[in-house]
């Protein structure tokens, strides 16, 4: 094991003990260290950090900046032990993140997506029911896709109609109440899931036909294929739909229902913010501004 790789592992361990998950950042740092090892470079330099950060010319500049930022954080840590380490200046790859405007699905589009999920092969397998139930759950709860994918059996209380979202974004946990129709859909999925597993142990709620937990990349790839199949991803589509957009749609429709019922949406905004797991109501305001 190279000295740089050992330092990377120590750095990631320290940050994770402080509460940072560093899933994607950890993968990027692994890739950077492999890049350094192929170059036989033992010290981080600004030029090498720039070369690695910009090695994929097809990605957006914001990704370059994010990759560069990962190296800068590691370099700041490493510089305390290795004075030969250069800390790359942040201004070399400046890029402000612009939140992408969401895609607001119509009811008809959601029904088409769900119908497409039920048509996924194989006809006799669990896969189609997994995606049908997962997408349906996201459309009616406002959960983040990662929160739904990470749900475990102990997090699903069908008797009380409550989901427990554990240590999601910002390390927060919360309860999410569900409608009785959602409970029934989850109960149906659990029966199909049990038949698929045939007694094999698996704690995650949503699983593949092979009985393994879903991954975020797997879900994203399948959803992209589903929306392309029904024509939501073509050259005329300005904003390609994403699963996270159902979270935005949930917030907007909730506030609209409050307004139609004669209630003041602004007074209920802190409640919605808590329901969604936001740090503050200002995060929820963004949904209103972009509607």
């Amino acid at each position: 094991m190279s000295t740089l790789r050992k330092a990377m592992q120590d750095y990631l361990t320290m940050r994770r003990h402080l509460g940072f998950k560093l899933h994607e950042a950890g993968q990027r740092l692994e890739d950077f260290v492999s890049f350094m090892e192929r170059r036989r470079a033992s010290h981080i330099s600004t030029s090498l950090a720039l070369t690695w950060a910009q090695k994929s010319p097809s990605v957006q500049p914001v990704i370059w900046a994010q990759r560069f930022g990962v190296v800068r954080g590691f370099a700041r840590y490493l510089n305390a032990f290795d004075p030969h380490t250069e800390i790359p200046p942040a201004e070399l790859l400046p890029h402000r993140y612009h939140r992408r405007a969401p895609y607001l699905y119509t009811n008809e589009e959601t029904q088409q997506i769900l119908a497409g999920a039920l048509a996924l092969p194989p006809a006799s397998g669990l896969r189609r029911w997994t995606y049908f139930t997962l997408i349906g759950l996201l459309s009616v709860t406002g959960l983040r896709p990662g929160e739904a994918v990470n749900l475990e059996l102990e997090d699903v209380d069908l008797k009380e109609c409550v989901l427990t979202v554990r240590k999601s974004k910002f390390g927060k946990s919360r309860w999410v109440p569900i409608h009785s129709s959602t409970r029934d859909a989850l109960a149906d999925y659990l029966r199909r899931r049990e038949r698929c597993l045939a007694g094999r142990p698996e704690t995650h709620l949503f699983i593949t036909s092979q009985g393994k937990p879903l991954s975020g990349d797997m879900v994203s790839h399948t959803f992209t294929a589903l929306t392309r199949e029904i024509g939501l991803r073509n050259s005329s589509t300005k904003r390609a739909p994403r699963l996270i957009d159902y979270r935005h749609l949930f917030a907007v429709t909730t506030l609209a229902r409050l307004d139609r019922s004669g209630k003041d949406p602004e007074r209920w905004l802190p409640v919605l913010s808590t329901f969604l797991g936001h740090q503050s109501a200002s995060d929820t305001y963004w949904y209103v501004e972009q509607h």
Side-chain angles (χ1 to χ4, degrees):
M1 180 186 298
S2 69
T3 303
L4 196 63
R5 185 167 292 276
K6 176 63 167 59
M8 176 201 68
Q9 292 179 349
D10 291 343
Y11 169 72
L12 290 176
T13 298
M14 178 197 71
R15 295 287 308 281
R16 285 167 176 154
H17 282 165
L18 291 173
F20 297 94
K21 295 184 179 181
L22 301 178
H23 295 313
E24 189 170 8
Q27 293 173 351
R28 286 173 170 170
L29 205 51
E30 288 265 6
D31 187 68
F32 172 70
V33 169
S34 296
F35 164 83
M36 294 284 286
E37 289 172 342
R38 290 193 298 271
R39 295 293 185 98
R40 300 184 183 278
S42 56
H43 306 291
I44 297 175
S45 68
T46 298
S47 61
L48 285 171
L50 276 172
T51 300
W52 175 78
Q54 297 176 294
K55 70 174 185 174
S56 301
S58 60
V59 303
Q60 297 180 2
V62 66
I63 303 299
W64 290 351
Q66 290 171 354
R67 289 161 61 87
F68 197 57
V70 167
V71 177
R72 288 191 72 251
F74 180 43
R76 286 197 301 270
Y77 164 84
L78 201 56
N79 181 260
F81 309 98
D82 178 12
H84 297 291
T85 299
E86 293 182 16
I87 303 176
E91 60 269 17
L92 290 180
L93 282 180
H95 194 281
R96 292 191 62 185
Y97 176 68
H98 298 286
R99 297 181 75 171
R100 175 179 163 183
Y103 185 94
L104 295 182
Y105 302 90
T106 65
N107 289 335
E108 291 74 18
E109 288 170 342
T110 295
Q111 291 305 315
Q112 286 181 300
I113 292 170
L114 291 174
L118 284 179
L120 288 170
S124 60
L126 183 69
R127 180 173 180 244
R128 59 189 183 131
W129 292 105
T130 295
Y131 283 98
F132 173 80
T133 309
L134 173 62
I135 296 169
L137 182 66
L138 292 174
S139 71
V140 298
T141 59
L143 289 175
R144 298 178 179 95
E147 292 173 343
V149 169
N150 290 331
L151 285 172
E152 299 195 2
L153 293 179
E154 65 175 353
D155 301 327
V156 182
D157 187 339
L158 296 183
K159 182 179 179 180
E160 299 296 332
C161 287
V162 171
L163 303 178
T164 302
V165 178
R166 303 180 189 275
K167 295 184 178 179
S168 187
K169 196 172 182 179
F170 312 114
K172 298 175 68 175
S173 298
R174 69 188 191 280
W175 289 317
V176 177
I178 56 175
H179 191 267
S180 58
S181 60
T182 304
R183 174 202 61 200
D184 294 344
L186 286 172
D188 179 70
Y189 175 72
L190 284 170
R191 288 190 290 270
R192 297 176 188 276
R193 176 188 180 280
E194 186 176 356
R195 288 197 294 269
C196 173
L197 286 173
R200 289 172 291 163
E202 174 50 54
T203 61
H204 281 82
L205 171 63
F206 293 111
I207 59 173
T208 67
S209 295
Q210 292 72 43
K212 303 295 183 182
L214 291 181
S215 70
D217 288 344
M218 190 186 305
V219 172
S220 179
H221 176 78
T222 301
F223 186 73
T224 296
L226 284 173
T227 51
R228 180 178 292 117
E229 182 70 22
I230 66 171
L232 290 186
R233 289 176 181 269
N234 53 46
S235 57
S236 62
T237 301
K238 294 180 180 180
R239 297 192 303 271
R242 303 164 301 169
L243 272 173
I244 192 66
D245 292 332
Y246 273 117
R247 181 171 168 83
H248 185 112
L249 182 64
F250 176 85
V252 170
T253 53
T254 298
L255 293 173
R257 282 198 301 270
L258 287 168
D259 186 58
R260 286 196 298 269
S261 65
K263 297 178 180 178
D264 183 0
E266 189 168 354
R267 291 188 60 185
W268 285 85
L269 201 61
V271 177
L272 178 60
S273 182
T274 301
F275 187 94
L276 292 171
H278 284 153
Q279 277 192 307
S280 66
S282 62
D283 295 323
T284 314
Y285 268 115
W286 181 80
Y287 290 120
V288 184
E289 294 166 357
Q290 291 295 315
H291 177 47

Coordinates of all heavy atoms in Angstrom, one line a residue, residues 78-126:
L78 N -3.3 16.7 4.3 CA -2.0 16.1 4.1 C -0.8 17.1 4.3 O 0.2 16.7 4.8 CB -1.9 15.5 2.7 CG -0.9 14.4 2.4 CD1 -1.1 13.2 3.4 CD2 -1.0 13.9 1.0
N79 N -1.1 18.3 4.1 CA -0.1 19.3 4.2 C 0.5 19.5 5.6 O 1.6 19.8 5.9 CB -0.6 20.7 3.7 CG 0.5 21.8 3.8 OD1 0.5 22.6 4.7 ND2 1.4 21.8 2.8
A80 N -0.4 19.1 6.6 CA 0.0 19.2 8.0 C 1.1 18.1 8.3 O 1.9 18.3 9.3 CB -1.2 19.0 8.9
F81 N 1.2 17.0 7.5 CA 2.1 16.0 7.7 C 3.2 16.0 6.7 O 4.3 15.5 6.9 CB 1.4 14.6 7.7 CG 0.2 14.6 8.6 CD1 -1.0 14.7 8.1 CD2 0.4 14.3 10.0 CE1 -2.2 14.7 8.9 CE2 -0.8 14.3 10.8 CZ -2.0 14.4 10.3
D82 N 2.9 16.5 5.5 CA 3.9 16.5 4.4 C 4.0 17.9 3.8 O 3.1 18.3 3.0 CB 3.4 15.5 3.3 CG 4.3 15.4 2.1 OD1 5.4 16.0 2.2 OD2 3.9 14.8 1.1
P83 N 5.0 18.6 4.2 CA 5.1 20.0 3.7 C 5.3 20.1 2.2 O 5.2 21.2 1.6 CB 6.3 20.5 4.4 CG 7.1 19.3 4.9 CD 6.1 18.3 5.1
H84 N 5.6 19.0 1.5 CA 5.8 19.0 0.1 C 4.5 19.0 -0.7 O 4.4 19.2 -1.9 CB 6.6 17.7 -0.4 CG 8.0 17.7 0.2 ND1 9.0 18.6 -0.3 CD2 8.6 16.9 1.1 CE1 10.1 18.3 0.4 NE2 9.9 17.3 1.2
T85 N 3.4 18.8 0.1 CA 2.0 18.8 -0.5 C 1.6 20.2 -0.9 O 1.7 21.1 0.0 CB 1.0 18.1 0.4 OG1 1.4 16.8 0.7 CG2 -0.4 18.2 -0.1
E86 N 1.2 20.4 -2.1 CA 0.7 21.7 -2.5 C -0.8 21.7 -2.3 O -1.5 20.7 -2.6 CB 1.0 22.0 -4.0 CG 2.4 22.2 -4.3 CD 2.6 22.5 -5.8 OE1 1.6 22.9 -6.5 OE2 3.7 22.4 -6.3
I87 N -1.3 22.8 -1.7 CA -2.8 23.0 -1.6 C -3.3 23.8 -2.8 O -3.0 25.0 -2.9 CB -3.1 23.7 -0.3 CG1 -2.6 22.9 0.9 CG2 -4.6 23.9 -0.2 CD1 -2.8 23.6 2.2
P88 N -4.0 23.2 -3.7 CA -4.4 23.9 -5.0 C -5.3 25.1 -4.6 O -6.2 24.9 -3.8 CB -5.1 22.8 -5.8 CG -4.6 21.5 -5.2 CD -4.4 21.8 -3.8
P89 N -5.1 26.2 -5.2 CA -6.0 27.4 -5.0 C -7.4 27.1 -5.5 O -7.5 26.6 -6.6 CB -5.3 28.5 -5.7 CG -3.9 28.0 -6.0 CD -3.9 26.6 -6.1
A90 N -8.4 27.5 -4.7 CA -9.8 27.2 -5.1 C -10.2 28.0 -6.4 O -11.0 27.5 -7.2 CB -10.7 27.6 -4.0
E91 N -9.6 29.2 -6.6 CA -10.0 30.0 -7.7 C -9.6 29.5 -9.1 O -10.0 30.0 -10.1 CB -9.4 31.4 -7.5 CG -7.9 31.5 -7.5 CD -7.4 31.4 -6.1 OE1 -8.1 31.0 -5.2 OE2 -6.2 31.8 -5.8
L92 N -8.8 28.4 -9.1 CA -8.4 27.8 -10.4 C -9.5 27.2 -11.1 O -9.6 27.2 -12.3 CB -7.3 26.8 -10.2 CG -5.9 27.4 -9.7 CD1 -4.9 26.2 -9.6 CD2 -5.4 28.4 -10.8
L93 N -10.5 26.6 -10.4 CA -11.7 26.0 -11.0 C -12.9 26.5 -10.3 O -13.6 25.8 -9.6 CB -11.6 24.5 -10.9 CG -10.7 23.8 -12.0 CD1 -10.8 22.3 -11.8 CD2 -11.1 24.1 -13.4
P94 N -13.2 27.8 -10.4 CA -14.4 28.3 -9.7 C -15.7 28.0 -10.4 O -15.7 28.0 -11.7 CB -14.2 29.8 -9.7 CG -13.4 30.1 -11.0 CD -12.5 28.9 -11.1
H95 N -16.7 27.6 -9.7 CA -17.9 27.4 -10.4 C -19.0 27.3 -9.3 O -19.0 26.5 -8.4 CB -17.9 26.0 -11.1 CG -19.1 25.9 -12.1 ND1 -20.4 25.6 -11.6 CD2 -19.2 26.1 -13.4 CE1 -21.2 25.6 -12.7 NE2 -20.5 25.9 -13.7
R96 N -20.0 28.2 -9.4 CA -21.1 28.3 -8.5 C -22.2 27.3 -9.0 O -22.5 27.2 -10.1 CB -21.7 29.7 -8.4 CG -20.8 30.7 -7.7 CD -21.5 31.9 -7.4 NE -22.6 31.7 -6.5 CZ -23.5 32.6 -6.1 NH1 -23.4 33.8 -6.7 NH2 -24.5 32.3 -5.3
Y97 N -22.6 26.5 -8.0 CA -23.7 25.5 -8.3 C -25.0 26.2 -8.5 O -25.4 27.1 -7.7 CB -23.8 24.5 -7.2 CG -24.9 23.5 -7.4 CD1 -24.8 22.6 -8.4 CD2 -26.0 23.5 -6.6 CE1 -25.8 21.7 -8.6 CE2 -27.1 22.6 -6.7 CZ -26.9 21.7 -7.7 OH -28.0 20.8 -7.9
H98 N -25.7 25.9 -9.6 CA -27.0 26.5 -9.9 C -28.0 25.3 -9.8 O -27.9 24.3 -10.6 CB -27.1 27.1 -11.3 CG -26.1 28.3 -11.5 ND1 -26.3 29.5 -10.9 CD2 -24.9 28.4 -12.1 CE1 -25.4 30.3 -11.2 NE2 -24.5 29.7 -11.9
R99 N -29.0 25.5 -8.9 CA -29.9 24.4 -8.7 C -30.8 24.3 -10.0 O -31.3 25.3 -10.5 CB -30.8 24.7 -7.5 CG -30.0 24.7 -6.2 CD -30.9 24.9 -5.0 NE -31.7 23.8 -4.7 CZ -32.4 23.7 -3.6 NH1 -32.4 24.7 -2.7 NH2 -33.1 22.6 -3.3
R100 N -30.9 23.1 -10.4 CA -31.7 22.9 -11.7 C -33.2 23.0 -11.4 O -33.7 22.4 -10.5 CB -31.3 21.5 -12.2 CG -32.0 21.0 -13.4 CD -31.5 19.7 -13.8 NE -32.5 19.0 -14.7 CZ -32.3 17.8 -15.1 NH1 -31.2 17.1 -14.8 NH2 -33.2 17.2 -15.9
A101 N -33.9 23.7 -12.3 CA -35.3 23.7 -12.2 C -35.9 22.4 -12.4 O -35.5 21.6 -13.2 CB -35.9 24.7 -13.3
P102 N -36.9 22.0 -11.6 CA -37.4 20.6 -11.6 C -38.4 20.4 -12.8 O -38.9 21.3 -13.4 CB -38.2 20.6 -10.3 CG -38.6 22.0 -10.1 CD -37.5 22.8 -10.6
Y103 N -38.6 19.2 -13.0 CA -39.6 18.7 -14.0 C -40.9 18.4 -13.2 O -40.9 17.6 -12.3 CB -39.2 17.5 -14.7 CG -40.1 17.1 -15.9 CD1 -39.9 17.5 -17.2 CD2 -41.2 16.3 -15.6 CE1 -40.8 17.2 -18.2 CE2 -42.1 15.9 -16.6 CZ -41.9 16.4 -17.9 OH -42.7 16.0 -18.9
L104 N -42.0 19.1 -13.5 CA -43.3 18.8 -12.8 C -44.1 17.8 -13.6 O -44.6 18.2 -14.7 CB -44.0 20.1 -12.6 CG -43.4 21.1 -11.7 CD1 -44.2 22.4 -11.5 CD2 -43.0 20.5 -10.3
Y105 N -44.2 16.6 -13.1 CA -45.0 15.6 -13.8 C -46.5 15.8 -13.8 O -47.0 16.3 -12.8 CB -44.7 14.2 -13.1 CG -43.3 13.8 -13.1 CD1 -42.5 14.1 -12.0 CD2 -42.7 13.0 -14.1 CE1 -41.2 13.7 -12.0 CE2 -41.4 12.6 -14.1 CZ -40.6 13.0 -13.0 OH -39.3 12.6 -12.9
T106 N -47.2 15.5 -14.8 CA -48.6 15.5 -14.8 C -49.1 14.1 -14.2 O -48.3 13.1 -14.2 CB -49.2 15.6 -16.2 OG1 -48.9 14.5 -17.0 CG2 -48.7 16.9 -16.9
N107 N -50.3 14.0 -13.8 CA -50.8 12.7 -13.3 C -50.7 11.7 -14.4 O -50.4 10.5 -14.1 CB -52.3 12.9 -12.8 CG -52.4 13.7 -11.6 OD1 -51.4 13.7 -10.8 ND2 -53.5 14.3 -11.3
E108 N -51.0 12.1 -15.6 CA -51.0 11.1 -16.8 C -49.5 10.6 -17.0 O -49.4 9.4 -17.3 CB -51.5 11.8 -18.0 CG -53.0 12.1 -18.1 CD -53.3 13.3 -17.2 OE1 -52.4 14.1 -16.8 OE2 -54.5 13.5 -16.8
E109 N -48.5 11.5 -16.9 CA -47.2 11.0 -17.0 C -46.7 10.1 -16.0 O -46.1 9.0 -16.2 CB -46.2 12.2 -17.1 CG -46.3 13.1 -18.3 CD -45.6 14.4 -18.3 OE1 -45.3 14.8 -17.1 OE2 -45.3 15.0 -19.3
T110 N -47.2 10.3 -14.7 CA -46.8 9.4 -13.6 C -47.5 8.0 -13.9 O -46.9 7.0 -13.7 CB -47.3 10.0 -12.3 OG1 -46.6 11.2 -12.0 CG2 -47.1 9.0 -11.2
Q111 N -48.7 8.1 -14.3 CA -49.4 6.8 -14.6 C -48.7 6.0 -15.7 O -48.6 4.8 -15.7 CB -50.9 7.0 -15.0 CG -51.7 7.5 -13.8 CD -51.7 6.6 -12.6 OE1 -51.8 5.4 -12.8 NE2 -51.5 7.2 -11.5
Q112 N -48.2 6.8 -16.7 CA -47.4 6.1 -17.8 C -46.1 5.5 -17.3 O -45.8 4.4 -17.7 CB -47.1 7.1 -18.9 CG -48.3 7.5 -19.8 CD -47.9 8.5 -20.8 OE1 -47.4 9.6 -20.5 NE2 -48.1 8.1 -22.1
I113 N -45.5 6.2 -16.4 CA -44.2 5.7 -15.8 C -44.5 4.5 -15.0 O -43.8 3.4 -15.1 CB -43.5 6.8 -15.0 CG1 -43.0 7.9 -15.9 CG2 -42.4 6.2 -14.2 CD1 -42.6 9.2 -15.1
L114 N -45.5 4.5 -14.2 CA -45.9 3.3 -13.4 C -46.3 2.1 -14.3 O -45.9 1.0 -14.0 CB -47.0 3.7 -12.4 CG -46.6 4.7 -11.3 CD1 -47.8 5.0 -10.5 CD2 -45.5 4.1 -10.4
A115 N -47.0 2.4 -15.3 CA -47.4 1.3 -16.3 C -46.1 0.7 -16.9 O -46.0 -0.5 -17.1 CB -48.3 1.9 -17.3
G116 N -45.2 1.6 -17.3 CA -43.9 1.2 -17.8 C -43.2 0.3 -16.9 O -42.5 -0.7 -17.3
A117 N -43.2 0.6 -15.6 CA -42.5 -0.2 -14.6 C -43.1 -1.6 -14.5 O -42.4 -2.6 -14.4 CB -42.6 0.5 -13.2
L118 N -44.4 -1.6 -14.6 CA -45.1 -3.0 -14.5 C -44.8 -3.8 -15.8 O -45.1 -5.0 -15.7 CB -46.6 -2.8 -14.3 CG -47.0 -2.4 -12.9 CD1 -48.6 -2.2 -12.9 CD2 -46.6 -3.4 -11.9
A119 N -44.3 -3.2 -16.8 CA -44.0 -3.9 -18.0 C -42.6 -4.3 -18.1 O -42.1 -5.0 -19.1 CB -44.4 -3.0 -19.2
L120 N -41.8 -4.0 -17.1 CA -40.4 -4.4 -17.1 C -40.2 -5.9 -17.0 O -40.9 -6.6 -16.3 CB -39.7 -3.8 -15.8 CG -39.4 -2.3 -15.9 CD1 -38.9 -1.8 -14.5 CD2 -38.4 -1.9 -16.9
P121 N -39.2 -6.4 -17.8 CA -39.0 -7.8 -17.7 C -38.2 -8.2 -16.5 O -37.5 -7.4 -15.9 CB -38.1 -8.1 -19.0 CG -37.4 -6.8 -19.2 CD -38.4 -5.7 -18.8
P122 N -38.3 -9.5 -16.1 CA -39.1 -10.5 -16.6 C -40.6 -10.4 -16.1 O -40.8 -9.9 -15.0 CB -38.5 -11.8 -16.1 CG -37.9 -11.4 -14.8 CD -37.4 -10.0 -15.0
A123 N -41.5 -10.9 -16.8 CA -42.9 -10.8 -16.5 C -43.3 -11.5 -15.2 O -44.2 -11.0 -14.4 CB -43.8 -11.4 -17.6
S124 N -42.5 -12.5 -14.8 CA -42.8 -13.3 -13.6 C -41.9 -12.9 -12.4 O -42.0 -13.5 -11.4 CB -42.7 -14.8 -13.9 OG -41.4 -15.1 -14.3
G125 N -41.0 -11.9 -12.6 CA -40.1 -11.6 -11.6 C -40.5 -10.5 -10.7 O -41.6 -9.9 -10.8
L126 N -39.7 -10.2 -9.7 CA -40.0 -9.1 -8.7 C -39.6 -7.7 -9.2 O -40.2 -6.7 -8.7 CB -39.2 -9.4 -7.4 CG -39.5 -8.5 -6.3 CD1 -40.9 -8.6 -5.7 CD2 -38.5 -8.7 -5.1

